[in-house]
Amino acid sequence: MYDAERSARGIQNYVCPLELGDFLERLYNGEVFDADSSEHMLSVMKDQRLNGKIPFYIHTLPEHGRIAHKTGEDTGITHDVGIVYAKQPFVLVFLGNETDVARFEREMAEISLMLYEANDIDYDLGMQAENPTELSFELPLVEGNNKITFTVISANGTEKQEIKEIAR
C-alpha cells in the first residue's frame, strides 16, 4: 500500500514480478490461506472495477473467462497482476515503472488477449514449457527501446525460458 508520509522520507515499497506471480499461483492453488479465505480474496479480485489493462480485450469476447486481478497506478507507473481463468488458467504480472502509461496499458491488454486466445486454441507461441502457470513480461517501452521480452515459468515452477522478442 502506498504510504505518502514514508515515501517523503525515502522509504519505498518494492515488488518483484516473480514473487507476485508465485503468490497468485499459490493463492489459486489454496496454498496461502484456508480455502474460504482464498476463495474470498479471489472473489474480491474478480470484482475489480478497473478493467482497462489485462481484461480490456478479453472481456470483449463472447465467451471469456473470469479474471482475478489487482491494478496499481501512480505518475509514470501502471501495474496489473492477475489470474486469467482460461482453458488452462495462467498468471500474468505486468509492472510498468517510469513508462508511457497509456502505451504500456495498451500493450498489457493486447498481450493478455494474445495469450488468452493462444491458450484457448492450444496455439504454440514457441513456449517449450507445457501448461505454463506464470508468464512474466518486461516491457520497457521507453524512447529508443520498443522490444518486449517475455519469460515463461513452467507448471512445476522451476523452468525459466526467454521466449522471444517482439518489435512493436
Side-chain angles (χ1 to χ4, degrees), residues 82-127:
I83 302 163
V84 179
Y85 291 80
K87 183 176 181 180
Q88 173 65 41
F90 58 94
V91 169
L92 285 173
V93 176
F94 292 99
L95 303 175
N97 191 19
E98 298 179 13
T99 191
D100 176 336
V101 170
R103 184 171 177 196
F104 192 90
E105 290 178 355
R106 186 176 60 251
E107 295 292 343
M108 284 191 269
E110 289 175 4
I111 290 169
S112 298
L113 176 63
M114 177 185 72
L115 291 170
Y116 181 84
E117 289 177 333
N119 180 287
D120 192 46
I121 60 172
D122 294 328
Y123 177 74
D124 182 5
L125 287 173
M127 295 181 212

Side-chain angles (χ1 to χ4, degrees), residues 48-92:
Q48 167 66 283
R49 301 276 190 247
L50 301 175
N51 293 310
K53 301 175 191 180
I54 290 174
F56 187 72
Y57 292 122
I58 295 172
H59 280 172
T60 65
L61 301 175
E63 294 183 29
H64 62 79
R66 297 288 309 262
I67 299 168
H69 69 113
K70 174 67 179 96
T71 62
E73 298 82 19
D74 202 353
T75 304
I77 297 171
T78 184
H79 306 319
D80 201 356
V81 301
I83 302 163
V84 179
Y85 291 80
K87 183 176 181 180
Q88 173 65 41
F90 58 94
V91 169
L92 285 173

